[in-house]
Amino acid sequence: MGIKTSPTPPLSNPHICIIGSLNIDFVTSTPRCPGPGETLTATALNVTAGGKGGNQAVAAGRASFLTPTSQDVSVSMIGAVGAEDPYYSTLLKPCLEKSGVSTENIEESTDFQTGSASIIVEEAAGGENRILVVPGANHGGIMSDVAQIVGAVKAQEVSPSVIVLQGEIPRKTTLGLLEYFNGGVADDRGCVVFNPAPVFPEGISLEALRNTAVLIMNETEAVQMSRCIAGLSNADAAKLESLQPEELAPRFHDVAGVQVVLITLGAKGVYFSTKSGRRGVVNGVRVPKVVDTTAAGDTFVGYFSTALARFLATGAILEAFDNEIQGAVEKANAAAAKCVQRRGAMQSIPFSYDME
Ligand code: ATP
């Protein structure tokens, strides 16, 4: 157990660090979902590599391959799996590494199993998915220890300019990491891209969320996260669900000081808004056939984070990203549209050189 002590391979600027979950996905495709007590014959079972953290790391890595042989952004992953898990060594690890993600900081735990997700893809509903997650190692060892994670980030040869967090690790860890990394860019801590998926049932404190650089949510998560923000009257809270993205986003800027808010709208595309007033919608890409939407949101997060890391590596400040945001959203939206046309999680994420 414990983080490997072998030296991290030299990482070149810019650098992204993804801190999050790694899962093995058991994906069953079925014409329709069974009702209570009903048994159905499904179409197929695929065992694949997934987990929101791992998917986003793979997306960031693949986004950085502008050609099949050159990577312009280095990507590392901090996560945890079960020790000697054959699925890790044969599926997850090779997939991460072939996508240009450093696996040096993935803890191999003897106390916990690799996390898993049972995913049902309903073909009759346009590839809509239903997911049950067993956290396993994603909730133990290093993933429950903020100081250890911060130490692993600091030990990296190149300080990450972007830190990516999601909601599949313990809430306490996420709050601690948000508070630490949102604490000051001046201290070389990197900009946080936070994708609160799934939203913790207990919510997120305003203190932790305060000054998050980038918040990426789907429409449901945007409503759920709005409830976390202080300053809402009960009447407001009841009305949240009927609010449009352009009504939800300003609350995150004004109340929590979030710099960039991105609300993904499924087939309709993405709403974006910045604290300094840049806002708009990038329409969804019309695709011939939606096969499986698994990892579409993660593809968007990874691609957007890579664009941000490239921008910050020029020495520019986050506020100046306003001029680049539309292009970054368009590229990430196009990558996510590619993803929905393929089956699976990590395997469905496109490489950048394969995007045209
Ligand atoms: P998931 O949980 O399925 O990964 P999500 O709920 O986090 O996704 P969505 O808003 O559903 O997020 O989708 C994320 C992005 O994927 C969208 O903003 C869009 O860019 C792309 N996308 C999703 N569905 C479609 C679709 N049917 N056609 C084209 N693009 C899509």
Side-chain angles (χ1 to χ4, degrees):
M1 187 164 148
I3 291 285
K4 286 186 196 150
T5 51
S6 55
T8 306
L11 298 167
S12 58
N13 264 332
H15 178 45
I16 299 179
C17 180
I18 283 96
I19 304 166
S21 58
L22 289 160
N23 286 336
I24 299 298
D25 290 348
F26 297 89
V27 188
T28 307
S29 302
T30 175
R32 66 172 175 86
C33 286
E38 185 184 13
T39 303
L40 276 180
T41 301
T43 313
L45 169 69
N46 282 297
V47 183
T48 60
K52 293 191 97 40
N55 293 343
Q56 292 177 12
V58 164
R62 292 186 185 177
S64 72
F65 276 95
L66 299 175
T67 74
T69 50
S70 64
Q71 198 180 359
D72 71 336
V73 178
S74 62
V75 180
S76 65
M77 168 100 204
I78 296 177
V81 293
E84 292 169 28
D85 178 350
Y87 284 125
Y88 177 60
S89 53
T90 58
L91 263 180
L92 258 171
K93 196 172 187 207
C95 187
L96 288 163
E97 291 179 348
K98 282 183 198 151
S99 305
V101 179
S102 165
T103 57
E104 286 296 320
N105 285 315
I106 294 178
E107 179 176 78
E108 296 187 20
S109 166
T110 48
D111 298 329
F112 298 92
Q113 291 179 323
T114 304
S116 67
S118 300
I119 303 175
I120 297 179
V121 179
E122 193 174 12
E123 291 154 352
E128 197 73 59
N129 55 47
R130 288 154 202 248
I131 305 176
L132 274 171
V133 173
V134 180
N138 296 314
H139 276 202
I142 186 172
M143 302 318 284
S144 57
D145 188 338
V146 173
Q148 212 186 331
I149 294 175
V150 169
V153 173
K154 285 189 163 173
Q156 297 192 358
E157 199 155 311
V158 174
S159 305
S161 51
V162 175
I163 307 271
V164 185
L165 298 168
Q166 326 76 32
E168 284 186 347
I169 62 173
R171 177 176 179 268
K172 205 167 157 223
T173 308
T174 306
L175 291 180
L177 292 172
L178 283 170
E179 275 171 25
Y180 180 83
F181 288 110
N182 284 338
V185 187
D187 193 21
D188 222 8
R189 296 182 196 196
C191 284
V192 170
V193 172
F194 181 38
N195 171 225
V199 174
F200 297 110
E202 307 87 346
I204 284 270
S205 65
L206 183 58
E207 292 68 38
L209 197 59
R210 200 177 294 287
N211 299 331
T212 299
V214 181
L215 191 57
I216 306 181
M217 307 160 283
N218 67 18
E219 290 175 284
T220 309
E221 291 148 5
V223 169
Q224 291 169 335
M225 286 295 288
S226 293
R227 293 206 182 98
C228 303
I229 296 179
L232 285 180
S233 68
N234 284 340
D236 272 347
K239 278 192 245 147
L240 281 176
E241 261 155 63
S242 60
L243 293 184
Q244 296 301 307
E246 60 272 23
E247 296 168 295
L248 290 168
R251 295 161 188 259
F252 294 101
H253 298 307
D254 301 342
V255 183
V258 175
Q259 185 70 32
V260 176
V261 175
L262 300 167
I263 302 179
T264 62
L265 312 171
K268 289 177 285 164
V270 183
Y271 175 82
F272 67 89
S273 141
T274 71
K275 200 174 167 189
S276 41
R278 188 71 58 109
R279 59 188 56 123
V281 173
V282 170
N283 289 327
V285 176
R286 292 184 75 152
V287 301
K289 186 177 180 214
V290 177
V291 176
D292 175 5
T293 64
T294 308
D298 296 332
T299 302
F300 182 86
V301 172
Y303 263 75
F304 185 85
S305 301
T306 299
L308 179 62
R310 269 188 201 115
F311 177 78
L312 293 172
T314 64
I317 56 166
L318 178 61
E319 285 74 5
F321 194 57
D322 264 30
N323 296 326
E324 310 271 330
I325 191 163
Q326 173 125 6
V329 171
E330 282 169 2
K331 180 104 196 254
N333 182 53
K338 277 250 177 200
C339 166
V340 303
Q341 298 175 68
R342 301 171 180 170
R343 206 173 291 286
M346 286 184 188
Q347 72 204 51
S348 66
I349 299 169
F351 279 86
S352 189
Y353 60 80
D354 209 15
M355 285 284 297
E356 302 316 321

